[in-house]
Amino acid sequence: KCSHKISFSTMAVTCEVLLVTIVLFCVHIALSVDVPYKGMQLFADQYPVPPLPYEYGALEPYIDERTVRVHHLGHHAGYTKKMNAALKAWRDEVGPGLGLQSTSILHILQNLDQVPEQHRTAIRNNGGGFVNHAIYWATMSPREKDEPPRLPEANLATEIIQNFHNFSNFQEQFTKTAKTLFGSGYVWLSRNPREQTLIIHTTANQDSPISTGLRPLLVIDIWEHAYYLKHQNKRPDHIQDWWELVDWGQVKNLSDWWQAYDAGHDEL
């Protein structure tokens, strides 16, 4: 004879806890995917630090393992933690609901001017740092020994020619912009979705092109923490090494991801 009694209310609570656990696990899996930027279009109470799609030492000799570790586990993780704290403070202040605070970090950055002023700077800086680094990691990949020069192909190559005349001209403009950017920030290749043009531009600090309606496709991090351990103050050497790691296949994948996002597809 069983001496234990389980009430229906206890079973209901247990099922509810199990359901919430399953949902949170599924969200975590959706956010922890092979490409660092996938997941930024999803709502999360706590965003995880996006995992790198390669080992920490895989970008050698162009970016050293120590720099990648410090950059990812220190700087990127730090922005992620502070972004989560800023989002929590905002959500705790306004309570549960269907407002902007209950949407994805991508949607929030797209509507940054609607974030309450007391939370806007923290979300701009740390949400931007979270997303900017995700794109930075995603558009590089390890280089194989004796690998031929990497070049854009298909539609992306055509777009670059249409907007910059040829790849060499594009690369020269991008490199010059990266060399002359004052202070800390990023240099981007982004698409203007309204005009369907590609542009080279910069952002300061952790500002994101997403907040100005652009669709970022490629980025180099010009903050000194991205290269100082290897190159000290020699930024041109960092830029030259970075070009060796640009993965145009991944740039195309990001371009396709943006097009699917803008079309409202569910497969993201």
Side-chain angles (χ1 to χ4, degrees):
K1 181 179 180 180
C2 180
S3 60
H4 299 285
K5 295 182 179 180
I6 301 176
S7 68
F8 286 111
S9 60
T10 300
M11 291 179 62
V13 170
T14 302
C15 290
E16 182 179 355
V17 171
L18 179 60
L19 178 60
V20 169
T21 302
I22 292 172
V23 169
L24 290 176
F25 176 77
C26 291
V27 169
H28 178 76
I29 294 298
L31 292 169
S32 302
V33 290
D34 58 339
V35 181
Y37 56 82
K38 288 185 178 179
M40 67 181 182
Q41 84 287 3
L42 302 174
F43 168 83
D45 284 322
Q46 292 282 320
Y47 286 92
V49 180
L52 298 184
Y54 34 75
E55 299 296 326
Y56 285 108
L59 301 183
E60 295 267 14
Y62 305 103
I63 302 181
D64 59 290
E65 179 176 349
R66 187 181 174 201
T67 292
V68 176
R69 285 187 179 275
V70 171
H71 200 168
H72 183 245
L73 297 175
H75 295 278
H76 196 180
Y79 287 121
T80 305
K81 181 178 179 180
K82 292 176 183 177
M83 175 191 69
N84 284 326
L87 291 172
K88 183 179 186 302
W90 179 18
R91 291 163 180 165
D92 287 349
E93 181 179 289
V94 300
L98 300 177
L100 181 62
Q101 77 281 355
S102 298
T103 62
S104 70
I105 186 58
L106 174 55
H107 187 70
I108 290 171
L109 289 175
Q110 288 176 312
N111 297 276
L112 193 60
D113 58 336
Q114 297 179 34
V115 176
E117 186 175 356
Q118 65 268 32
H119 302 293
R120 191 179 305 148
T121 298
I123 291 174
R124 174 192 291 115
N125 291 342
N126 297 294
F130 171 76
V131 169
N132 295 347
H133 282 92
I135 296 173
Y136 175 66
W137 301 124
T139 51
M140 296 187 292
S141 68
R143 192 173 184 88
E144 300 293 332
K145 185 178 180 180
D146 301 324
E147 182 180 340
R150 296 179 172 184
L151 296 170
E153 298 179 354
N155 292 343
L156 185 58
T158 300
E159 281 190 271
I160 288 176
I161 292 171
Q162 289 173 343
N163 287 272
F164 303 102
H165 304 300
N166 56 60
F167 179 76
S168 295
N169 191 49
F170 156 74
Q171 193 171 39
E172 288 175 9
Q173 288 186 38
F174 195 102
T175 298
K176 181 179 179 181
T177 304
K179 286 180 177 179
T180 56
L181 175 64
F182 182 77
S184 299
Y186 298 84
V187 180
W188 305 83
L189 173 68
S190 294
R191 176 177 288 110
N192 183 330
R194 294 174 295 277
E195 300 178 4
Q196 286 300 306
T197 55
L198 298 181
I199 61 171
I200 296 170
H201 66 103
T202 65
T203 56
N205 301 315
Q206 292 298 342
D207 290 355
S208 174
I210 294 168
S211 298
T212 58
L214 297 174
R215 300 292 180 257
L217 304 179
L218 176 67
V219 62
I220 182 172
D221 190 339
I222 299 297
W223 283 69
E224 286 192 340
H225 63 242
Y227 62 89
Y228 200 84
L229 291 177
K230 179 178 175 64
H231 294 300
Q232 288 76 55
N233 62 335
K234 300 175 183 178
R235 184 193 290 182
D237 292 348
H238 166 58
I239 298 167
Q240 182 177 348
D241 280 349
W242 171 79
W243 277 118
E244 297 294 328
L245 298 171
V246 171
D247 188 326
W248 289 103
Q250 293 299 334
V251 175
K252 180 185 180 301
N253 290 342
L254 177 54
S255 177
D256 293 343
W257 187 91
W258 278 119
Q259 290 177 3
Y261 173 80
D262 288 332
H265 291 180
D266 296 329
E267 65 267 21
L268 297 180

